[in-house]
């Protein structure tokens, strides 16, 4: 008898941003396989479940994707209700495709429970609309780290330097100084507004704004923080929120 797999989006960290469906699946789970970024207070909602960390976090040892796939199948084949908990929205930069392929290939029933991405939560915490009627007509999401952890080499520089697009970079703290140099070389003004959003809705949340050049300099000088962070740049609306620090320089 096969169980059932729910790929559940945990949101950015604050349990208030879980959907009701996500909370329901956690409460009824037999086993929860969770990432580093979806640990914390949310796990308390899975009161009856075995909790298994399978986290992947830059710079630390992590479970191999094949091992995660195998664990999902093992528990589902034992007839359990499996929750595969993924941070933010499960479909954004979370290796959902590999896990779906494994579950589909094994003929196991599944669902995907959508959620609040860290992008949406960060924009909300900063008081920042992601689009602007006349100046920001496009939003694009980019990973700042390819499979080797470095800046992807096949970037579409014209799109990334588009002055009418807001760009959001996941996992981009390390590579942003190099990315910024490339953007400026491809015509993006160095004084384009930028924002870095760390540990959104988690203890230690920090928001800083400045220009692309200032943020690149700060990250080159200080290195990446250990907190998860998103970087926004483009024709961002002016932010006057007291919770947002201003980058020096
Ligand atoms: C593997 S990706 C998962 C993204 C997730 N699926 C989402 O929709 O937010 C992890 C990256 O998402 C971003 N991230 C996730 N949670 C975050 C948070 N609470 N605050 C800031 N950035 C976050 C960071 O760029 C982090 O390195």
């Amino acid at each position: 008898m096969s169980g059932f797999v729910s790929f559940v989006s945990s949101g950015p960290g604050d349990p208030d941003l879980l959907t009701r469906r996500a909370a329901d699946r956690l409460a009824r789970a037999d086993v929860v396989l969770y990432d580093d970024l979806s640990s914390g207070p949310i796990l308390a909602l899975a009161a009856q479940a075995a909790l298994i960390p399978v986290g992947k976090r830059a710079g630390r040892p992590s479970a191999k994707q094949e091992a995660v796939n195998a664990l999902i199948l093992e528990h589902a084949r034992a007839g359990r209700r499996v929750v595969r908990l993924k941070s933010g929205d499960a479909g954004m930069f979370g290796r959902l495709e590999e896990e779906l392929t494994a579950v589909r290939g094994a003929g196991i029933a599944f669902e995907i429970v959508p959620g609040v991405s860290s992008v949406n939560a960060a924009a909300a915490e900063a008081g920042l609309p992601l689009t602007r009627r006349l100046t920001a007509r496009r939003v694009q999401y980019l990973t700042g780290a390819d499979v080797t952890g470095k800046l992807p080499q096949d970037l579409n520089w014209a799109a990334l330097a588009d002055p009418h697009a807001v760009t959001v970079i996941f996992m981009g703290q390390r590579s942003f100084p190099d990315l910024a140099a490339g953007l400026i070389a491809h015509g993006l003004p160095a004084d384009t507004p930028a924002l870095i959003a760390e540990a959104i809705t988690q203890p230690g949340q920090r928001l800083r704004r400045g220009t692309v050049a200032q943020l690149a300099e700060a990250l080159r000088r200080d290195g990446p923080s250990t907190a998860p962070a998103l970087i926004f740049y483009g024709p961002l609306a002016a932010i006057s929120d007291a919770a947002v620090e201003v980058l020096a320089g």
Side-chain angles (χ1 to χ4, degrees):
M1 188 195 71
S2 265
F4 188 82
V5 179
S6 299
F7 294 97
V8 174
S9 304
S10 73
D14 182 342
D16 278 0
L17 293 176
L18 272 181
T19 64
R20 289 169 63 163
R21 190 177 297 176
D24 171 76
R25 299 308 186 263
L26 284 166
R28 295 195 291 122
D30 298 314
V31 57
V32 177
L33 304 168
Y34 65 94
D35 287 335
D36 228 46
L37 289 177
S38 48
S39 56
I42 282 163
L43 292 177
L45 299 174
Q48 303 165 25
L51 304 176
I52 304 176
V54 292
K56 303 191 196 77
R57 191 77 185 265
R60 292 202 224 144
S62 58
K64 291 251 180 305
Q65 187 61 52
E66 300 72 41
V68 178
N69 297 354
L71 264 180
I72 297 172
L73 298 189
E74 178 192 322
H75 288 287
R77 284 180 173 137
R80 301 189 181 113
R81 280 184 300 252
V82 179
V83 164
R84 175 66 180 100
L85 190 63
K86 290 176 172 288
S87 73
D89 178 78
M92 296 272 286
F93 297 116
R95 314 270 314 253
L96 176 63
E97 183 181 1
E98 288 99 316
E99 296 175 19
L100 277 178
T101 302
V103 168
R104 277 199 181 106
I108 293 165
F110 70 89
E111 67 177 346
I112 300 172
V113 180
V116 176
S117 174
S118 55
V119 172
N120 307 102
E125 291 292 312
L128 183 74
L130 276 174
T131 59
R132 298 173 76 196
R133 189 151 172 261
L134 296 176
T135 52
R137 302 189 198 111
R138 204 156 62 78
V139 182
Q140 54 192 354
Y141 302 140
L142 174 75
T143 174
D146 67 9
V147 285
T148 68
K150 302 220 169 75
L151 187 65
Q153 291 301 297
D154 55 351
L155 295 174
N156 179 342
W157 288 106
L160 292 172
D162 177 355
H164 297 296
V166 167
T167 304
V168 186
I169 308 165
F170 288 72
M171 298 164 282
Q173 292 189 81
R174 261 173 226 285
S175 59
F176 190 71
D178 289 344
L179 180 75
L183 290 170
I184 292 165
H186 284 82
L188 187 82
D191 63 356
T192 299
L195 173 83
I196 181 164
E198 292 172 45
I200 290 302
T201 79
Q202 298 173 3
Q205 171 171 307
R206 189 177 188 200
L207 292 151
R208 287 176 289 162
R209 70 176 166 88
T211 66
V212 163
Q214 285 169 337
L215 180 56
E217 175 51 28
L219 288 171
R220 187 177 285 117
R221 186 186 61 229
D222 303 337
S225 77
T226 53
L230 293 166
I231 294 169
F232 295 68
Y233 71 83
L236 307 179
I239 303 167
S240 58
D241 199 299
V244 182
E245 297 167 44
V246 178
L247 282 161

